[in-house]
Each structure stands twice: as C-alpha cells, then as structure tokens.
Amino acid sequence: MMIILVRHGEATHHTQRLTGGWTDSQLTEKGRAQIKAAAVKLAKDFAGRNCKLRILASDLQRASASAQIIAEELGFKGEIEHCRFLREKNNGIAAGMTEEEAKKHFCKPASEQELDHRNYPGGETRNEFYRRNVHGLWHRADVDKENLLIVAHKGTIQNIIFRWLGMDMQQVAAFNFSVDVQPASVTVLGINKWHEHAVFRLNDVSHLTQGKGFGVFEFKYEK
C-alpha cells in the first residue's frame, strides 16, 4: 500500500496576499502548470500498472481542481472523493480577508507551542485541526491497506505525516518538529518490508526544478 500526498499548486490567495486557511481561492495559471507537471510525472509511475487507487481531495477549489488535473492525467476512472475534513486549518473570520485586514483580528499565542489557542475568532486550535484531519482520514480509509492519493494543503499534509510517524500534537510541539510542504510537492508514505511506517519521499518538487539545484537557499529559514 501507499499514500501519495500532493499539495495543491499556487493559488490566488498567494498572489493576491489573502489569508489562506478556509479562503476558497483558485489555482493560478502557474499553479495549474505546477500540478500538471506533477501529474505527468505521476502518470509515468502508474503507466502499465493495474493499481487500485482512491483519490481523496479537500473540497476547497484549489485542491479539488488540482485533484481533477491529476485524475485526468492518470486516466482515473473512479470518482474523486471531496472531503471537508481535508481542508486547511480553519482561520475563522479571517477567511477571505487580505493579510493586512486579518492582522486586526489576529490573537497572538503566548508561545509557538500553544495547542489550544485560536488565532482568529471562529477558527480552530492546532489540536482541533489535527484531530479533524486525522480522525477524518483514518475513519474514511484503511490507511494501512489501501492505495490513496490525497490532494490537500500544507497543514493538512503535515498533520497526516505527523500521525503516520506516530506523533500527536503534544509530541510535535515538545520536539519543536515540522516538515516543509511546498506547493505542488509530492510526498509518498507506505509500509516497508520490515512492516514499518516509512516516508519514502518527502516534499519532492523535482518536477518543478529541472536544470536547477536543490533549492537550498529557497527555504524559509529563521532570520
């Protein structure tokens, strides 16, 4: 079995300086091209294989459109399962606002390790977000036995990876742990021959960087 995690491509909230979260932004032309490149490369993996696969996607437009592009490239004959539980973290009243507007409503946590703090009125805490993603997916699918392709968001994919590695949010906070998940990146999880939960590929954007380096200087390092 395998779980393929794909983050949606660049979306209009990135280019229009809107908040992310539950803002229902759409893919930009660049974002569609990014996902098309990922889909073409994934299609090479699936070519000639009779692989039973389910495709699950967040119901927000930027993710559902990304899933449709991938499904078409793979020649997927089933139905894409649009799942509200795969949405990004709920940012409450900040959804749809510009980043400047949202700053007026932002409630700063006492520390970055806060798990039950709401950044915006009506939004989710980190614990609530994690539980929604994890409980939803583990209830919807047999993650240890099915082949799944999941198209979602940075935070959602991070939560799935944390759970796959056996970590709850308390452990994530205690270890100050994270993984980067860039737009249109591909991550592959699976159970290896030693019956371990493995991360076979993480945040792969090689389909976007032909002829370039590893992007060592493009990550969001602490200043």
Side-chain angles (χ1 to χ4, degrees):
M1 58 71 55
M2 62 188 170
I3 302 174
I4 302 170
L5 304 171
V6 182
R7 184 183 172 189
H8 62 79
E10 181 190 76
T12 51
H13 75 272
H14 295 134
T15 57
Q16 297 174 8
R17 300 188 65 80
L18 302 176
T19 61
W22 282 24
T23 299
D24 199 8
S25 56
Q26 300 179 2
L27 291 176
T28 63
E29 286 304 311
K30 177 181 177 180
R32 295 184 70 85
Q34 289 173 328
I35 288 296
K36 177 71 172 181
V40 167
K41 197 162 186 175
L42 280 169
K44 293 178 181 178
D45 289 320
F46 283 89
R49 295 179 182 273
N50 184 19
C51 179
K52 187 176 181 181
L53 181 71
R54 290 174 65 185
I55 298 181
L56 282 64
S58 160
D59 63 346
L60 294 175
Q61 293 182 74
R62 58 190 184 272
S64 60
S66 296
Q68 185 62 44
I69 292 170
I70 294 170
E72 290 173 0
E73 193 65 36
L74 294 183
F76 181 70
K77 303 301 183 184
E79 292 290 330
I80 297 172
E81 302 173 46
H82 299 282
C83 306
R84 189 180 178 89
F85 65 78
L86 289 174
R87 285 188 176 192
E88 181 60 278
K89 186 180 180 185
N90 184 355
N91 53 347
I93 65 171
M97 290 184 178
T98 66
E99 293 174 351
E100 283 300 312
E101 290 173 331
K103 285 180 182 178
K104 301 172 185 176
H105 304 277
F106 181 71
C107 305
K108 187 176 180 179
S111 75
E112 294 300 324
Q113 279 66 49
E114 293 289 332
L115 300 179
D116 295 305
H117 173 83
R118 299 182 197 283
N119 290 337
Y120 298 101
E124 286 178 306
T125 69
R126 290 176 70 188
N127 271 329
E128 289 170 342
F129 177 38
Y130 175 87
R131 287 194 293 265
R132 169 168 60 81
N133 290 160
V134 168
H135 291 176
L137 179 58
W138 264 252
H139 176 75
R140 184 70 171 257
D142 189 339
V143 296
D144 285 345
K145 294 182 179 179
E146 294 188 273
N147 295 317
L148 306 173
L149 194 157
I150 299 171
V151 185
H153 312 269
K154 178 178 180 178
T156 304
I157 291 172
Q158 288 174 326
N159 285 340
I160 293 170
I161 294 171
F162 297 154
R163 174 63 180 82
W164 186 252
L165 295 176
M167 302 174 71
D168 58 25
M169 285 311 300
Q170 285 70 30
Q171 292 168 310
V172 171
F175 292 122
N176 200 28
F177 179 73
S178 188
V179 292
D180 198 15
V181 182
Q182 297 181 60
S185 64
V186 176
T187 293
V188 182
L189 312 177
I191 297 177
N192 65 22
K193 65 179 182 180
W194 297 281
H195 312 294
E196 299 164 331
H197 280 205
V199 179
F200 292 113
R201 195 169 293 277
L202 177 64
N203 190 37
D204 189 336
V205 290
S206 59
H207 48 288
L208 306 178
T209 58
Q210 289 89 344
K212 298 182 180 180
F214 290 104
V216 169
F217 297 100
E218 298 176 9
F219 299 116
K220 296 180 180 179
Y221 295 107
E222 183 179 24
K223 300 296 185 183

